[in-house]
């Protein structure tokens, strides 16, 4: 099974030269550490930053430079800061080419639940609802199951929905899957993981066609 860092590393292979990319809280923030050599992407954070770099080395943190998850980050040469209204105008105006989000649940239709667990304190929905409503290309980074072994790739989400039919691709600790009209289509397996293990961990409809390759990093 993949670590969180390996999930981020695999997602980084989806980056293309010239992309403007929004990274959500959690595993997605790690993607900035694995940009492939030879390409240039610009990371956007909805709290008002463009040109976000990887996490700083210990001792080099600047508490005034944070991402949307309040983690200290770096700023690349040419990076800029702006207010929230400008940031969300960029998101709602569809100027972001790729959005990478974490999720608590994803349905086989591409619905995503990632902002609230009923009965638990929540600070707010953040920018997730704007991102899923505006983005054309959404990749979810998540664990395939919860800590009890229950699937998080479901027929229908059980938690409050953040966005409907918006997720295009999912990278978990077990596999890479595309969300299609027919359900979750298995594209790649994590090293050492079998198709049967992915089937057992997936509640929603899982489509397996042909030989499934192992992930490459």
């Amino acid at each position: 099974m993949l670590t969180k860092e390996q999930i981020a590393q695999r997602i980084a292979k989806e980056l293309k030269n010239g992309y403007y990319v929004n990274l959500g809280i959690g595993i997605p923030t790690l993607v900035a550490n694995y940009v492939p050599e030879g390409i240039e992407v610009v990371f956007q954070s909805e709290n008002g930053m463009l040109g976000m770099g990887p996490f700083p080395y210990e001792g080099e943190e600047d508490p005034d430079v944070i991402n949307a998850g309040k983690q200290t980050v770096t700023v690349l040469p040419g990076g800029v800061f702006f207010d929230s209204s400008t940031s969300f105008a960029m998101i709602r105006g569809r100027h972001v080419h790729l959005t990478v989000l974490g999720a608590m649940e994803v349905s086989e239709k591409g619905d995503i639940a990632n902002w609230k667990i009923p009965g638990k304190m929540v600070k707010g929905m953040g920018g997730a609802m704007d991102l899923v409503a505006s983005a054309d290309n959404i990749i979810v980074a998540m664990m395939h199951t919860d800590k009890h072994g229950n699937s998080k790739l479901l027929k229908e989400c059980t938690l409050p929905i953040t966005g409907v039919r918006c997720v295009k691709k999912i990278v978990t600790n077990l596999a890479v899957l595309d969300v299609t009209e027919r359900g979750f289509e298995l594209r790649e397996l994590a090293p050492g993981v079998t198709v049967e293990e992915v089937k057992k961990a997936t509640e929603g409809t899982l489509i397996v066609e042909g030989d499934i390759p192992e992930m490459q990093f």
Side-chain angles (χ1 to χ4, degrees):
M1 297 184 187
L2 302 185
T3 63
K4 293 179 180 180
E5 288 76 15
Q6 288 173 314
I7 292 173
Q9 190 175 357
R10 172 58 187 84
I11 290 175
K13 290 176 64 68
E14 302 294 321
L15 302 175
K16 291 182 171 51
N17 192 50
Y19 264 15
Y20 284 78
V21 182
N22 181 283
L23 300 178
I25 297 169
I27 299 174
T29 59
L30 300 171
V31 174
N33 293 333
Y34 299 104
V35 178
E37 290 186 13
I39 73 168
E40 184 175 337
V41 297
V42 180
F43 291 113
Q44 189 251 17
S45 185
E46 64 260 32
N47 58 319
M49 186 190 314
L50 197 62
M52 181 172 61
F55 289 118
Y57 291 110
E58 186 174 353
E60 297 181 3
E61 302 93 341
D62 183 341
D64 290 328
V65 182
I66 60 172
N67 62 19
K70 299 179 176 61
Q71 298 168 302
T72 53
V73 293
T74 57
V75 183
L76 300 178
V80 293
F81 300 92
F82 36 84
D83 62 14
S84 183
S85 62
T86 302
S87 180
F88 280 91
M90 187 180 301
I91 292 167
R92 295 169 185 170
R94 299 179 183 270
H95 301 295
V96 176
H97 299 104
L98 172 65
T99 296
V100 184
L101 295 172
M104 294 178 244
E105 296 176 346
V106 176
S107 82
E108 63 184 39
K109 301 172 189 172
D111 304 334
I112 180 174
N114 78 338
W115 77 280
K116 181 179 181 181
I117 298 176
K120 292 194 176 183
M121 184 178 292
V122 61
K123 295 179 181 179
M125 65 188 69
M129 290 190 179
D130 289 272
L131 287 162
V132 298
S134 305
D136 293 322
N137 189 9
I138 296 174
I139 298 177
V140 166
M142 65 188 295
M143 294 296 165
H144 212 103
T145 59
D146 64 21
K147 61 184 179 181
H148 303 294
N150 300 311
S151 180
K152 295 166 70 173
L153 276 64
L154 310 173
K155 290 187 178 296
E156 299 284 347
C157 291
T158 63
L159 296 172
I161 298 291
T162 310
V164 175
R165 295 179 181 268
C166 56
V167 176
K168 299 293 190 294
K169 187 183 291 288
I170 306 168
V171 181
T172 76
N173 54 322
L174 300 182
V176 176
L177 309 103
D178 286 341
V179 180
T180 72
E181 292 294 326
R182 299 184 295 160
F184 300 115
E185 188 164 345
L186 184 59
R187 292 296 191 187
E188 299 174 20
L189 293 166
V193 173
T194 66
V195 171
E196 288 304 314
E197 287 175 309
V198 177
K199 285 181 178 178
K200 184 178 179 181
T202 308
E203 182 205 281
T205 302
L206 182 68
I207 301 158
V208 182
E209 295 179 341
D211 294 329
I212 308 300
E214 186 177 283
M215 287 185 210
Q216 301 295 317
F217 297 95

